[in-house]
Amino acid sequence: MNNEILASEEDIFKQALAYTVKIKARVDKPFLGDEKGAFTAAGFLVDAKQRLVMTNAHVVARSPSHVSVAFYNGHYYKARKLYVDPVLDLALLKLPKNSIPKGIKAAQLECKNIPAVGHPVGALGHPWGIFFTGTRGVISGITDKFGGEFLQTDAPINSGNSGGPLISMKTAKVVGINTSSLNKNQDQNTNFATPMKYACRVLELLQIGKNPSPPELPILFQLDIDDSNKLIVASTHLASDLIALENGDIIEKFENETQFIHALRGNLDNFSLAITRQNKKMILSGRLNAMQLVTERKGIFVSGIVIAPWWIRDWQEVNLPPLVIHNVEAGSIGDDQKIQNWDNLVSIDRKPMKNLKQLFAYLKAAKLQDKKVYLTIKRFSDLDDRLYDYLERPLKVVDLKYFGGKKK
């Protein structure tokens, strides 16, 4: 490697040190998919004027959390979760005024193209708490095998790298958000990043004041085990007044669900789809509802248990109640009663609970009367002859509170 190329790469990492940040996040009451605790990871400045920092959703949590951000050699400032995506592993944070050091410029983003296999890249982050560490590699491929479309790279990505920039060593533009590692047998060569192409669309919509939320899709697509790159509807529970997709429809022009959702963001009210149905080409027009904003999710904490709604696409097929146990604190009353994460709340004292408002009112009355309630729970069974087990567990009502929701 000659000195000119080496200096260029050093300059790219020097630029990245300025726009990359440390992020501390603390979760007290986690929803399913998150953990209670305090975590440190990375992010990067994407809009200096609007004071926006981009990172992973899993870094700041899809649960209510306390988040603070610090630039290189700077102080931590409290940040607001402006938007957290329910599909992409992506979040945008809003920094307070006067928190960005003078002269700091936002990262340049590669919003159009996905880098080819072999493209040289660098990752910047805080692996294992070693802050502002750079690693280097190449783009190894693109995969949709892990619930979304990801860039694959052999640039090492470890705990603490999440949310940091994956940077082109040719253009100095950020091409992805460092997200995860396969991490089997300490494998350092199979790591993943969220493509900036998809993240940019979310950022652009937020910058102009539009809701970037993906559509609520009560649709299951066929798993593309054979890499046919076809998006085929396997089962749909869409309301008839939305769009008339049917089982077996092939949605044209999209190789996977990530591409489909990307095209729909900001266009949910009126769009058209080219499909193939029983070997016939058709155009369908319709609309879809936006998913609930992650930042507006609410839950109830009672006796060490987090209870909240949980939406899954095939809810109608499995006939589950609307409220689910999201977390049970170790050593709590709920833990003592053997209540578990993923338990479905069928009823309390044999009375079905349709929503959080009804549940809170009932628990509040029981607390005032100092009486136990009895939870009927539907739990996935370990036995071979059934899908579910039913349990009834007594619960003394203490530490009752609402949490989450949009902050005024």
Side-chain angles (χ1 to χ4, degrees):
M1 181 178 290
N2 60 50
N3 291 334
E4 182 180 351
I5 295 175
L6 180 61
S8 175
E9 293 189 352
E10 288 177 349
D11 287 343
I12 290 172
F13 273 118
K14 185 177 180 180
Q15 293 172 17
L17 284 173
Y19 61 67
T20 301
V21 299
K22 291 184 289 185
I23 296 177
K24 293 196 299 186
R26 177 169 56 83
V27 179
D28 297 322
K29 299 175 180 64
F31 292 129
L32 285 166
D34 290 329
E35 296 180 9
K36 181 174 180 176
F39 313 95
T40 302
F44 52 101
L45 184 69
V46 292
D47 187 328
K49 185 176 180 180
Q50 295 193 34
R51 308 186 305 280
L52 301 182
V53 163
M54 186 175 285
T55 186
N56 288 138
H58 81 260
V59 166
V60 297
R62 292 187 172 100
S63 308
S65 59
H66 306 273
V67 179
S68 55
V69 171
F71 286 88
Y72 186 68
N73 286 334
H75 301 290
Y76 278 100
Y77 291 89
K78 184 177 180 181
R80 176 168 66 92
K81 291 198 288 189
L82 180 66
Y83 177 79
V84 182
D85 200 79
V87 177
L88 291 176
D89 197 348
L90 167 69
L92 272 299
L93 307 177
K94 180 84 168 181
L95 300 181
K97 293 180 180 180
N98 303 317
S99 61
I100 301 175
K102 289 183 179 181
I104 299 297
K105 296 180 180 180
Q108 300 178 67
L109 309 179
E110 178 51 76
C111 294
K112 294 182 179 179
N113 302 310
I114 290 181
V117 173
H119 190 100
V121 290
L124 193 66
H126 319 299
W128 313 113
I130 306 172
F131 298 123
F132 296 98
T133 297
T135 56
R136 194 185 183 286
V138 299
I139 296 296
S140 308
I142 300 170
T143 181
D144 59 358
K145 298 299 184 185
F146 301 99
E149 186 175 301
F150 293 97
L151 298 176
Q152 182 180 332
T153 179
D154 64 353
I157 295 175
N158 295 293
S159 177
N161 275 113
S162 290
L166 185 69
I167 311 156
S168 166
M169 291 288 105
K170 288 185 175 181
T171 68
K173 292 183 177 181
V174 177
V175 298
I177 311 168
N178 300 323
T179 300
S180 63
S181 172
L182 194 60
N183 203 29
K184 289 184 177 179
N185 300 318
Q186 300 301 313
D187 180 9
Q188 285 292 304
N189 298 317
T190 310
N191 309 295
F192 304 100
T194 300
M196 193 53 56
K197 174 182 176 180
Y198 301 122
C200 282
R201 177 61 176 163
V202 173
L203 175 62
E204 289 163 1
L205 289 168
L206 281 173
Q207 287 171 324
I208 61 174
K210 292 190 69 174
N211 182 2
S213 293
E216 186 176 272
L217 281 178
I219 300 173
L220 297 178
F221 295 101
Q222 288 186 19
L223 293 179
D224 191 10
I225 294 174
D226 299 320
D227 293 324
S228 65
N229 295 326
K230 290 184 178 180
L231 191 60
I232 305 174
V233 176
S235 178
T236 176
H237 300 283
L238 280 169
S240 59
D241 64 335
L242 296 176
I243 188 166
L245 283 169
E246 295 181 2
N247 297 352
D249 286 350
I250 302 173
I251 301 178
E252 302 292 349
K253 300 182 180 179
F254 303 108
E255 296 181 357
N256 55 53
E257 190 178 331
T258 300
Q259 295 177 8
F260 179 48
I261 290 174
H262 175 66
L264 290 175
R265 290 182 191 270
N267 301 308
L268 298 182
D269 292 335
N270 186 15
F271 62 89
S272 296
L273 285 181
I275 70 162
T276 298
R277 178 178 294 167
Q278 297 179 354
N279 296 319
K280 293 181 180 179
K281 304 290 185 181
M282 302 174 61
I283 300 293
L284 297 181
S285 296
R287 63 182 183 85
L288 287 168
N289 297 319
M291 293 188 74
Q292 179 194 20
L293 289 171
V294 172
T295 51
E296 295 184 0
R297 293 175 72 186
K298 296 179 180 179
I300 288 174
F301 181 79
V302 58
S303 306
I305 303 169
V306 171
I307 305 173
W310 183 254
W311 183 84
I312 58 173
R313 300 181 184 206
D314 50 353
W315 207 266
Q316 295 92 326
E317 295 183 16
V318 292
N319 189 30
L320 294 173
L323 298 178
V324 175
I325 308 300
H326 284 244
N327 187 67
V328 182
E329 288 190 346
S332 66
I333 293 174
D335 188 24
D336 185 52
Q337 293 302 324
K338 310 302 180 187
I339 296 169
Q340 300 176 7
N341 293 4
W342 289 108
D343 283 346
N344 296 271
L345 182 61
V346 176
S347 63
I348 295 185
D349 296 337
R350 306 296 173 89
K351 297 177 177 63
M353 295 290 138
K354 297 180 180 179
N355 52 54
L356 289 178
K357 183 177 179 180
Q358 180 188 11
L359 174 63
F360 188 83
Y362 194 90
L363 292 174
K364 184 177 180 180
K367 183 181 179 183
L368 290 173
Q369 297 170 30
D370 194 28
K371 75 168 190 174
K372 288 184 178 180
V373 296
Y374 288 82
L375 280 61
T376 299
I377 288 168
K378 188 175 185 178
R379 178 182 296 171
F380 287 100
S381 180
D382 293 328
L383 301 177
D384 293 335
D385 64 344
R386 70 196 70 177
L387 284 176
Y388 306 111
D389 293 324
Y390 288 83
L391 305 87
E392 187 172 77
R393 306 303 302 157
L395 190 75
K396 180 177 176 61
V397 180
V398 299
D399 298 327
L400 174 65
K401 63 187 70 173
Y402 256 120
F403 70 96
K406 188 175 182 179
K407 300 294 187 294
K408 301 297 185 182

